[in-house]
């Protein structure tokens, strides 16, 4: 397994996720790895527009949560590479299959543990 190549791929993914989050959220200075979606507030909006803004904000919160989780996994994988523990299943301690890591380099579990979830 070429961990340098995987590390490079993970760093690209991390930058991409952070850039996407920065488009609609800000880092929470009090909680590491947490982002907060910026509220949508147009002062000259009527009631219908405010309802649309609330729906849009709910969608952003959902997207923010999904991107945060993915970023957390990417950061964890990068930390494992640095610590020399990359590619080990967090549940059973066995090696994660190389095919799985090729598809999902941030994977925390082997296929068996992931399927038995």
């Amino acid at each position: 397994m070429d961990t340098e190549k995987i590390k490079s791929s993970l760093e690209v993914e991390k930058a991409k996720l952070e850039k996407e989050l920065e488009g609609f959220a800000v880092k929470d200075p009090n909680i590491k790895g947490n982002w907060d979606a910026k509220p949508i507030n147009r002062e000259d909006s009527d009631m219908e527009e405010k309802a649309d803004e609330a729906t849009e904000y709910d969608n952003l919160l959902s997207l923010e949560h999904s991107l945060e989780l993915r970023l957390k996994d990417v950061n964890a994988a990068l930390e494992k590479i640095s610590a020399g523990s990359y590619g080990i299943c967090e549940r059973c301690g066995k090696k994660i299959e190389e095919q799985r890591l090729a598809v999902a380099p941030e994977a925390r579990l082997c296929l068996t543990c992931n399927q038995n979830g």
Side-chain angles (χ1 to χ4, degrees):
M1 171 174 23
D2 185 357
T3 54
E4 283 305 311
K5 184 176 178 182
I6 292 170
K7 181 179 178 182
S8 176
S9 172
L10 287 166
E11 287 172 343
V12 167
E13 181 68 10
K14 177 181 176 175
K16 182 180 126 194
L17 291 167
E18 287 178 341
K19 183 175 183 180
E20 194 168 349
L21 279 162
E22 288 170 356
F24 65 90
V26 294
K27 281 185 180 182
D28 185 331
N30 301 315
I31 303 172
K32 181 183 177 187
N34 190 46
W35 292 72
D36 296 316
K38 300 173 196 170
I40 301 165
N41 189 7
R42 298 179 192 105
E43 292 184 21
D44 59 344
S45 302
D46 62 22
M47 289 302 285
E48 186 174 318
E49 287 173 330
K50 288 196 182 296
D52 289 343
E53 290 168 5
T55 300
E56 186 178 344
Y57 182 67
D58 282 345
N59 292 338
L60 288 177
L61 286 175
S62 178
L63 177 60
E64 171 207 322
H65 180 71
S66 175
L67 293 173
E68 271 181 348
L69 290 176
R70 179 124 168 92
L71 184 58
K72 181 181 175 185
D73 287 344
V74 168
N75 283 329
L78 287 168
E79 288 172 12
K80 287 179 181 181
I81 289 172
S82 294
S85 60
Y86 179 75
I88 305 299
C89 178
E90 291 181 0
R91 186 169 296 152
C92 71
K94 294 180 182 173
K95 287 184 117 183
I96 298 173
E97 302 81 0
E98 287 195 33
Q99 309 93 299
R100 178 160 169 70
L101 292 173
V103 174
E106 72 285 354
R108 294 174 169 237
L109 303 174
C110 67
L111 280 172
T112 302
C113 289
N114 190 56
Q115 291 172 348
N116 295 331

